[in-house]
């Protein structure tokens, strides 16, 4: 009898084990299916980017200028998104309804980060045979809009944090690393005015007007919006991304000062908008007691904005300077691969440190890029210079086009769009008015003390260049829980698509209609760091505009230049004069410690300034033809031998 019971128990155990094995097989099959869907999702975006690159080549070969690469990426994304949404078969998604325990002490106003399904500790089969069951954890993904949704629809959308932590940093760093600092500082006053004052003013105007429009809309939508919501919409839709316009500017060699103002504003207003939107989000949570306007809370929010922006700037600048010191006082340049890796890791660390400290990583990585270009670049080996320039050029190109492709795809696959025609129309109108308020009144004030003034056709082009792009979309998609935020995302996506495709395509016609000066070329014998304009005007008198007189350096730029050339560059690079000549006598011991032998022995480079990232610009930018060659530029390791080659011209190189 005991033998019979033992045999039955063994038989039941085998059956249960088979059931458990069957469960594992089913789970493995499910994991394999999800892996295939993930791979298909990545393949779709890879094919889209490949198609975009090939089409760009065709457009460049055929000299097509009416559609930029970002517009192509958006259009291809829209087509593929529509195919995924309406052309693919629907996979059944298994689900189980779960309701929280009424006695739960959890705050049900906010969804939990993770849900764990607990089943009985033991599943009793028969007799004494039992096996432990498994507990599964499910992470928070967001609100479910359509239970019957296709699995590929869910996989075709990414976590918004991917944009902020992976996609945006190389874009922002590249903007700072390839910034033409000479013209940036020449127009520093106008750039700071448009980027900081103008962006804040535009956000306020758009937020106020949108709040008025919302009150005129149906009660179902008006009740979901507060003034802080519309103000947040104003902050996220104010930053510009004139990538299309700037590409056309480079091709047509448009006036460099206009280029600098548009590019400089777009670089800084991304950072300003991100900090401003964060201050608005924190207004009610940190400062205001009831969500209404309070003067003390308003002033505290302004202080928060200034403090976060300043501290983020300091973090980025310090990381850039630290990298410069590491590359100056070590021999890591003897191993260019390690040197490039150190450069990239230190730059990305600036972003992460700022985020960990509850600052703004975008601001930190932007100013880290500027410092890396101005200081660290001079210490790098020739291989590392080329590698870092081309690496970030490539990452910027892929990241920009990926974001615009994703904007197109997400119009059909993202489950949390809310299409409200009245809100969309109001968004287009107020964003246009906000851009006008940013440009025209501030240009009038700037012209009261600016020499030369900003001509009216330049002001019109500044207004026209207010395309919206990656930063606006990333801010809008970051939070789509409420109906108000979903309406913001839909409107922002449509504004980005319309401005990139329509305004970007009409940029060439706008230049011709506004009679913007074109035809500037790099003159020989000039480099980017010289005080004279490096562009030679090859236009005739009838083509010249009213803003052609040379710009004077801003006073702040002059002051900064004096400090930089006599203190910071000798400290952070191998530039001359050494600190032993510029610091007071009682600092001589410290100066000797911080000055390298190379600074003493390299001389004055025959009167030429050392090449840095302003004269070694990014890919596809015209370079001046040298009349002499400094061995330091070709072989940075040589310090005792100097070769001079005179009379080299473009025809005999």
């Amino acid at each position: 009898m005991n033998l019979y019971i033992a045999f039955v128990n063994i038989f039941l155990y085998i059956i249960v084990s088979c059931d458990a094995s069957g469960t594992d097989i089913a789970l493995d099959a499910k994991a394999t299916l999800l892996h295939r869907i993930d791979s298909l999702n990545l393949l779709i975006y890879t094919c889209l980017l490949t198609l975009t690159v090939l089409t760009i080549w065709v457009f460049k070969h055929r000299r097509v200028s009416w559609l930029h690469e970002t517009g192509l990426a958006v259009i291809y994304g829209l087509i593929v998104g529509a195919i995924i949404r309406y052309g693919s078969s629907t996979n059944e998604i298994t689900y189980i309804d779960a309701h929280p325990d009424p006695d739960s002490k959890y705050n049900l106003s906010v969804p939990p980060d993770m849900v764990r399904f607990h089943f009985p500790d033991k599943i009793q089969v028969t007799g004494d045979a039992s096996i432990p069951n498994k507990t599964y954890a499910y992470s928070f993904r967001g609100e479910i809009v359509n239970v019957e949704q296709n699995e590929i629809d869910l996989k075709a959308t990414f976590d918004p944090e991917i944009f902020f932590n992976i996609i945006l940093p190389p874009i922002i760093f590249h903007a700072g690393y390839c910034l033409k600092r000479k013209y940036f500082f020449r127009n520093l006053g106008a750039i700071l005015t448009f980027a900081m004052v103008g962006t804040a003013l535009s956000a306020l105007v758009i937020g106020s007007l949108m709040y008025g429009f919302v009150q005129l809309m149906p009660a179902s939508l008006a009740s979901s919006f507060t003034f802080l919501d519309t103000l947040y919409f104003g902050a996220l839709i104010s930053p510009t991304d004139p990538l299309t316009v700037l590409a056309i500017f480079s091709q047509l060699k448009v006036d460099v000062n206009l280029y600098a103002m548009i590019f400089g504003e777009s670089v800084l207003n991304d950072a300003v908008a991100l900090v401003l939107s964060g201050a608005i989000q924190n207004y009610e949570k940190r400062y205001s007691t009831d969500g209404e306007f309070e003067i003390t809370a308003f002033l505290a929010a302004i202080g928060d904005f200034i403090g976060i922006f300043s501290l983020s700037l300091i973090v980025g600048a310090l990381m850039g300077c630290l990298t410069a010191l590491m590359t100056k006082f070590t021999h890591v340049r003897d191993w260019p691969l390690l040197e490039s890796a150190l450069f990239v890791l230190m730059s990305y660390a600036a972003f992460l440190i700022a985020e960990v400290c509850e600052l703004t990583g975008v601001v930190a990585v932007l100013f880290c890029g500027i410092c890396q270009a101005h200081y660290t670049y001079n210490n790098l080996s020739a291989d590392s210079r080329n590698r870092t320039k081309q690496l970030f050029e490539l990452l910027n190109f892929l990241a920009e086009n990926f974001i615009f492709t994703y904007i197109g795809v997400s119009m059909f696959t993202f489950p949390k769009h809310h299409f409200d025609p009245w809100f969309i129309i109001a968004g287009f109108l107020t964003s246009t008015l906000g851009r006008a308020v940013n440009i025209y009144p501030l240009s009038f004030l700037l012209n009261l003390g600016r020499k030369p003034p900003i001509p009216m056709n330049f002001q019109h082009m500044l207004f026209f260049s207010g395309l919206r792009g990656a930063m606006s979309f990333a801010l809008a998609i970051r939070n789509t829980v409420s109906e108000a935020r979903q309406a913001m995302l839909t409107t922002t996506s449509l504004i980005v698509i319309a401005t990139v495709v329509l305004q970007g395509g009409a940029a060439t016609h706008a230049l011709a209609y506004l009679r913007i000066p074109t035809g500037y070329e790099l003159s020989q014998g000039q480099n980017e760091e010289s005080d004279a304009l490096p562009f030679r005007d090859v236009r005739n008198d009838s083509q010249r505009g009213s803003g052609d007189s040379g710009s004077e350096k801003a006073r702040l730029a002059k002051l900064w230049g004096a400090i930089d050339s006599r203190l910071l560059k000798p400290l952070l690079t191998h530039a001359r004069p050494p600190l032993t000549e510029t610091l007071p006598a009682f600092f001589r011991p410290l100066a000797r410690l911080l000055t390298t032998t190379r600074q003493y022995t390299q001389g004055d480079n025959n009167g030429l300034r050392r090449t840095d990232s302003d004269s070694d610009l990014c890919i596809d930018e015209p370079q001046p033809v040298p009349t002499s060659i400094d061995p330091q530029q070709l072989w940075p390791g040589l310090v005792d031998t100097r070769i001079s080659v005179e009379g080299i011209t473009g025809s005999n190189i």
Side-chain angles (χ1 to χ4, degrees), residues 62-74:
R62 300 293 182 182
R63 299 185 183 275
V64 176
S65 60
W66 51 267
L67 185 60
H68 187 253
E69 59 203 43
T70 53
L72 277 172
V74 169

Side-chain angles (χ1 to χ4, degrees), residues 570-581:
L571 171 64
L572 300 173
T573 71
H574 299 285
R576 290 180 57 87
L579 292 174
T580 53
E581 298 179 10

Side-chain angles (χ1 to χ4, degrees), residues 274-294:
L274 185 58
V275 180
L276 183 61
S277 62
I280 293 171
Q281 285 181 309
N282 294 333
Y283 176 85
E284 181 176 3
K285 181 174 65 175
R286 294 186 180 180
Y287 309 117
S288 180
T289 56
D290 55 1
E292 300 296 330
F293 180 80
E294 297 177 3

Side-chain angles (χ1 to χ4, degrees), residues 2-263:
N2 292 334
L3 181 63
Y4 174 76
I5 295 175
F7 177 78
V8 170
N9 288 336
I10 293 174
F11 181 74
L12 292 175
Y13 181 78
I14 292 175
I15 294 177
V16 171
S17 299
C18 291
D19 290 340
S21 177
T23 302
D24 290 337
I25 293 174
L27 291 176
D28 289 340
K30 181 67 174 178
T32 302
L33 176 62
L34 294 178
H35 174 72
R36 289 178 57 196
I37 294 176
D38 286 335
S39 301
L40 176 61
N41 180 34
L42 294 176
L43 178 62
I44 288 173
Y45 286 102
T46 302
C47 292
L48 281 174
L49 291 177
T50 304
L51 184 61
T52 302
V53 170
L54 293 176
T55 311
I56 291 170
W57 171 79
V58 173
F59 277 28
K60 288 183 179 293
H61 183 68
R62 300 293 182 182
R63 299 185 183 275
V64 176
S65 60
W66 51 267
L67 185 60
H68 187 253
E69 59 203 43
T70 53
L72 277 172
V74 169
I75 293 173
Y76 285 147
L78 288 171
I79 295 173
V80 172
I83 294 174
I84 293 175
R85 181 68 178 85
Y86 300 109
S88 58
S89 60
T90 301
N91 300 327
E92 182 180 357
I93 301 176
T94 59
Y95 63 92
I96 183 173
D97 292 327
H99 302 279
D101 187 350
D103 298 330
S104 175
K105 298 181 180 179
Y106 181 78
N107 180 14
L108 298 180
S109 62
V110 179
D113 297 326
M114 181 177 292
V115 176
R116 291 182 297 180
F117 288 96
H118 295 284
F119 295 95
D121 293 337
K122 299 287 184 179
I123 295 181
Q124 200 75 21
V125 182
T126 55
D128 298 328
S130 63
I131 59 171
N133 202 352
K134 298 179 180 179
T135 300
Y136 299 97
Y138 294 83
S139 299
F140 174 70
R141 186 164 188 169
E143 181 185 5
I144 295 177
V145 178
N146 182 11
V147 176
E148 303 297 330
Q149 194 171 20
N150 193 341
E151 181 69 18
I152 189 64
D153 290 351
L154 297 176
K155 291 294 182 179
T157 57
F158 292 93
D159 186 342
E161 292 303 313
I162 292 178
F163 290 98
F164 279 91
N165 294 330
I166 298 177
I167 306 297
L168 279 182
I171 296 175
I172 302 300
F173 181 85
H174 173 265
Y177 194 46
C178 291
L179 181 68
K180 296 180 180 179
R181 297 183 307 280
K182 174 185 173 183
Y183 301 102
F184 178 85
F185 282 108
R186 277 190 171 181
N187 298 276
L188 184 62
I191 291 172
L192 290 178
T193 302
F194 290 138
M196 303 195 74
V197 179
T199 302
L201 186 61
S202 174
L204 180 61
V205 169
I206 294 174
S208 302
L209 292 176
M210 284 299 296
Y211 186 72
F213 278 117
V214 166
Q215 300 308 309
L216 301 177
M217 296 178 187
S220 59
L221 183 64
S223 60
S224 62
F225 278 90
T226 65
F227 178 70
L228 289 179
D229 288 329
T230 58
L231 196 60
Y232 180 78
F233 176 74
L236 70 88
I237 206 63
S238 293
T240 59
D241 189 5
L243 184 65
T244 305
V245 176
L246 293 175
I248 294 175
F249 279 14
S250 297
Q251 295 173 5
L252 300 180
K253 300 180 176 65
V254 174
D255 184 278
V256 288
N257 293 300
L258 176 61
Y259 184 102
M261 284 190 287
I262 294 177
F263 181 71

Side-chain angles (χ1 to χ4, degrees), residues 172 194-195 198-200 202-203 206 231-242 262 265-277 362 431 434-435 438 465-476 492 495-496 499:
I172 302 300
F194 290 138
T199 302
S202 174
I206 294 174
L231 196 60
Y232 180 78
F233 176 74
L236 70 88
I237 206 63
S238 293
T240 59
D241 189 5
I262 294 177
E265 181 205 357
S266 67
V267 167
L268 289 181
N269 66 15
D270 281 351
V272 171
L274 185 58
V275 180
L276 183 61
S277 62
V362 168
S431 62
R435 182 64 182 170
N438 185 338
S465 301
L467 285 69
R468 272 58 173 189
M471 181 58 70
S472 296
F473 177 76
L475 287 172
T492 301
I495 292 175
V496 170
T499 55

